[in-house]
Amino acid sequence: MLKLDVQKISGIEVLPLIEGAKGISLTTGETSGAWAAAGGIGTFSAVNADSYDENGKVIPQIYHGRTRSERRQELINYAVKGGIAQAKIARERSNGKGRIHMNALWEMGASEEIITSILEGAKNCIHGIVCGAGMPYGLAEIAAKFGVYYYPIVSSARAFSALFKRSFKKFTELLGGVIYEDPWLAGGHNGLSNAENPKVPINPYLRLVALRKVMNEFGLVTLPIIIAGGVWWLSEWEDYIDNPELGITAFQFGTRPILTTENPVAKAWQSKLMTLKKGDVKLTKLSPTGFYSSAINNKMLSDLIERQERQVSIVSNSGFKIQMGNKEIYLDESFKQHVEQWISKGFTKPMKTPDNTVIFVTPAQYEQITSDQRNCCCCLSACRFSSWCQSKGSTGKIPDPRSFCIQKSLQAVAHGGDLDWNLMFSGHSAYRFAEDPFYENNFIPTTQQLIDRILTGY
């Protein structure tokens, strides 16, 4: 049995084991409540969370508004009702044990309004707010208003330093800890900077030491660093526990809790996880957020990558000419043969990108892309796929057909949609389900069984 002492986190002593929140409807009141009931910290996702009708059935998030502003309000209403519902389920399921945290993406549409409204409607249910996918400068002030702890997700000491100096230093009493999410290993959206090479991982230990140094300089010696991304067996992280260079540490598990009996993910998804091999999770920059993200490689991801490969620069009057809509454009002459081959294979529809290039898609793809762009429900604060921007109404650029509607895809895959043609976020260690003897014979544990196993070091 691994020696892992309880810690005071979000006001009480708990196991320093945190459930990492996952996308739309994958970490719920059921999963987070079960994690808390086992003595840890459960985290439900407040990103377009499910709400339920009087019979307990999930209410489909269907949009009827004719304008983006109307659909945006529908999205906010769905998100608030769903977040409150999940928080109340988590409190009931936890049996008064552990802690319940809520995860929200700072760059989701209307994030501050949604976070505030959920906290108002779910009082005494939520003990902490976890926030990443952007720079959550307003997070501390919201937490202070409701007297709950807050936990920023960062991938570098530099990011945390900027957050602390600009905002967090005013609300240090409720800063519960700092989540370090390894950008090369974690699932979902990742905090890689433009200066970092997505193909060359950096040792997390060095980055954690740098983060602790900055935290200590700010007087945050007693706050835990919560290590996320790539955590599987704690025995592999023993050097990070009770380490004077790192100080107090806790651990977040994002991928392993998907394979529990409480997780609502489709059984086909759980079966898929058990078959993954190393390298089956891809780190790409295809997300409409503009951030890097990690997801299971499938037909959707392959299609998006191939879409970008069928790309040609637009030039002025010196290249070869094609018809696009009701006008003619000139393309790089050196790509003429490629374009002819693409067209012969059915990719007959050119679509302009914000980078003064053209991609070629099939007529069916064209109809789907343009339909999804028209039906934008403003799920992000800024979306390069639809060109929506909540502060200005538009990003000022044309919609980017090289990306996709992330809200539509994540809703679909979480509610029984096609696993080949929808986005499946995952950490890069997911291939270990197939190698870990704990999951032999397709064994799926309860959350309590998983935490008991984690405490052995394996």
Side-chain angles (χ1 to χ4, degrees), residues 15 32-41 94 97-98 447-449 451-452 455:
L15 291 170
S32 57
W35 197 278
I41 297 173
S94 70
K97 298 178 181 178
T447 296
Q448 182 66 65
Q449 287 173 320
I451 287 185
D452 288 344
L455 289 171

Side-chain angles (χ1 to χ4, degrees), residues 9 144 159 207 210 220 246 257 296 336 343-344 347 368 376 401 455:
I9 301 177
R207 294 165 74 91
L220 307 174
L246 300 181
I296 295 171
K336 184 177 181 180
I343 290 174
S344 71
F347 300 102
Q368 188 65 70
C376 172
L455 289 171

Side-chain angles (χ1 to χ4, degrees), residues 223-424:
L223 284 190
I225 294 177
I226 298 165
I227 301 171
V231 181
W232 196 270
W233 290 348
L234 287 184
S235 58
E236 297 165 337
W237 296 82
E238 280 194 272
D239 291 343
Y240 293 66
I241 301 171
D242 295 326
N243 184 312
E245 282 194 297
L246 300 181
I248 301 169
T249 55
F251 294 91
Q252 178 171 295
F253 293 81
T255 301
R256 284 190 80 174
I258 298 177
L259 247 66
T260 56
T261 58
E262 292 89 352
N263 197 287
V265 68
K267 296 303 178 188
W269 191 338
Q270 292 183 324
S271 298
K272 176 73 172 178
L273 288 172
M274 289 184 172
T275 66
L276 295 180
K277 299 179 176 61
K278 194 168 186 177
D280 282 349
V281 175
K282 300 294 183 183
L283 176 62
T284 70
K285 207 174 184 182
L286 300 171
S287 169
T289 61
F291 299 144
Y292 281 94
S293 64
S294 293
I296 295 171
N297 193 25
N298 59 6
K299 290 180 181 178
M300 175 190 171
L301 219 58
S302 296
D303 179 67
L304 286 167
I305 293 169
E306 290 168 7
R307 193 184 297 176
Q308 300 210 34
E309 291 171 349
R310 293 189 302 272
Q311 185 169 195
V312 189
S313 295
I314 298 173
V315 297
S316 58
N317 301 343
S318 59
F320 69 98
K321 186 168 56 177
I322 67 164
Q323 191 76 25
M324 190 168 74
N326 58 4
K327 65 178 182 179
E328 295 177 336
I329 61 170
Y330 291 86
L331 302 180
D332 184 340
E333 184 71 37
S334 65
F335 276 81
K336 184 177 181 180
Q337 187 174 352
H338 291 291
V339 171
E340 291 171 347
Q341 289 175 347
W342 298 334
I343 290 174
S344 71
K345 292 178 181 178
F347 300 102
T348 58
K349 296 289 287 186
M351 298 188 77
K352 194 173 180 181
T353 80
D355 297 325
N356 204 38
T357 63
V358 165
I359 64 166
F360 286 81
V361 298
T362 66
Q365 288 172 329
Y366 176 86
E367 292 300 324
Q368 188 65 70
I369 291 167
T370 53
S371 173
D372 288 345
Q373 288 170 339
R374 285 194 305 270
N375 293 327
C376 172
C377 59
C378 315
C379 71
L380 299 173
S381 64
C383 175
R384 65 188 180 107
F385 176 66
S386 69
S387 79
W388 161 258
C389 175
Q390 67 181 15
S391 62
K392 298 178 289 186
S394 169
T395 61
K397 297 182 178 181
I398 65 171
D400 194 335
R402 296 168 296 185
S403 191
F404 61 98
C405 178
I406 193 167
Q407 201 265 0
K408 174 189 171 184
S409 188
L410 290 177
Q411 281 285 353
V413 78
H415 298 97
D418 192 321
L419 299 185
D420 280 330
W421 289 103
N422 285 295
L423 184 67
M424 289 191 290

